[in-house]
Amino acid sequence: MSNRNLKIGDMWSKLEFDLSEIRDLLNMRLETKQEAVGVRISTANRRTGKKAVWRDTTARWADQDIGMSVRAWNVLPYIDAIKQAELQEQIELGIRLVPTIEKSIAARDFSPELLRTWGLLNRVAGAVYLVYHSKSDVGRQREASENLDAHRRWFAHYYRKISPARKRDDALEIMESFINSIAKRSPDGEQRQWFDQFLSDKASESLDNARRLTKAFRGKLSGKEIAKLDSEPLIGVPQFALGLPPP
């Protein structure tokens, strides 16, 4: 076999290998903004200068080699400056190009069409590859929203279970008592911190040994907003907060 034929064979093998790598890249899913923002597991302290600690809620896998859970490798990090819809369009374009290139490689058809589609696919893969090796960036989303969206949905879900037969103030008092009781019996750590975000440092006006709901839940949520929140799925609500019996 001539050197020229060997080099051509190497070329097809290289194309097949690179295409396999690109397939894996295109099969990744986009991390959502909500997953990237995650949950706040400890609050900031202005007196000490301690910053709030956040943790994303992106899927994690158990890694037996290092003995701990790690971020799933098949997730493209959320970048606030990149339009997710456009990135998804690029991925879908790449997926559509793959079968055409597979046919050309299988037929060993080194044509202008293969060069065109291969170049286009590599341009798409390059953009996705750049995102894959970036770190999640939520801009100022955490500071701006304080990540209470999941809390609001959870609050609306339980509030609506008790509010139809009660006045607003009575329903809020029941919710205040309900959340205080959960927070008190929750173990220290993530669970306690999650429920603490509903409560202020001020004493309850009507309950003994209890804290008052923050303004975000006592005063800022209208009946219309609560109904809308209750119609949404409980995305972002941790497993320990799901399925609790209503007050």
Side-chain angles (χ1 to χ4, degrees):
M1 184 180 291
S2 67
N3 288 336
R4 180 175 180 277
N5 287 336
L6 282 172
K7 289 180 179 179
I8 292 174
D10 290 344
M11 179 195 74
W12 291 117
S13 296
K14 180 68 165 56
L15 286 177
E16 288 173 336
F17 176 81
D18 288 350
L19 184 60
S20 175
E21 295 285 300
I22 292 173
R23 277 198 214 96
D24 289 341
L25 197 61
L26 296 176
N27 282 329
M28 294 185 178
R29 74 168 183 85
L30 302 183
E31 180 182 41
T32 67
K33 180 170 71 174
Q34 191 165 34
E35 288 174 328
V37 171
V39 294
R40 185 172 60 185
I41 59 175
S42 69
T43 57
N45 189 317
R46 292 182 180 179
R47 288 177 296 178
T48 64
K50 181 183 176 182
K51 295 182 178 179
V53 177
W54 296 76
R55 189 187 71 187
D56 67 65
T57 55
T58 306
R60 305 184 79 82
W61 292 342
D63 190 319
Q64 295 181 350
D65 293 334
I66 62 175
M68 61 183 294
S69 64
V70 297
R71 183 187 176 92
W73 66 266
N74 65 338
V75 178
L76 293 173
Y78 174 86
I79 310 296
D80 194 53
I82 295 177
K83 294 182 179 179
Q84 299 298 289
E86 292 181 4
L87 179 58
Q88 184 63 46
E89 287 176 2
Q90 288 294 302
I91 292 173
E92 291 172 0
L93 170 60
I95 292 172
R96 291 196 299 271
L97 291 171
V98 167
T100 300
I101 295 172
E102 286 176 332
K103 290 179 181 178
S104 295
I105 292 176
R108 298 298 191 257
D109 179 18
F110 191 73
S111 63
E113 177 64 14
L114 173 60
L115 290 176
R116 187 190 72 81
T117 53
W118 183 251
L120 186 55
L121 180 64
N122 274 268
R123 189 176 71 183
V124 170
V128 178
Y129 190 79
L130 181 63
V131 173
Y132 178 67
H133 284 281
S134 300
K135 291 185 178 180
S136 297
D137 174 24
V138 293
R140 298 186 61 83
Q141 296 294 325
R142 287 176 172 173
E143 293 86 349
S145 68
E146 294 187 358
N147 194 42
L148 290 176
D149 289 347
H151 290 74
R152 291 187 182 96
R153 282 190 286 269
W154 182 92
F155 186 89
H157 176 71
Y158 281 94
Y159 180 91
R160 292 262 290 176
K161 288 181 179 296
I162 63 173
S163 64
R166 294 177 173 87
K167 294 181 180 179
R168 177 179 172 81
D169 287 348
D170 293 339
L172 286 172
E173 183 177 301
I174 292 172
M175 286 299 297
E176 190 170 84
S177 174
F178 180 48
I179 293 170
N180 269 279
S181 67
I182 297 172
K184 287 177 180 177
R185 67 173 184 264
S186 295
D188 289 335
E190 181 183 348
Q191 185 170 334
R192 171 76 65 83
Q193 290 163 351
W194 197 84
F195 284 106
D196 276 346
Q197 287 186 259
F198 290 99
L199 304 169
S200 71
D201 293 330
K202 297 179 179 179
S204 171
E205 295 177 345
S206 57
L207 303 171
D208 294 331
N209 300 318
R211 289 184 289 159
R212 192 186 309 175
L213 288 171
T214 67
K215 291 181 179 179
F217 299 99
R218 174 165 284 280
K220 290 187 177 181
L221 291 178
S222 67
K224 185 176 181 180
E225 288 173 321
I226 287 176
K228 181 179 181 300
L229 286 166
D230 188 37
S231 69
E232 298 173 359
L234 294 174
I235 297 173
V237 175
Q239 189 65 37
F240 57 71
L242 297 172
L244 295 172

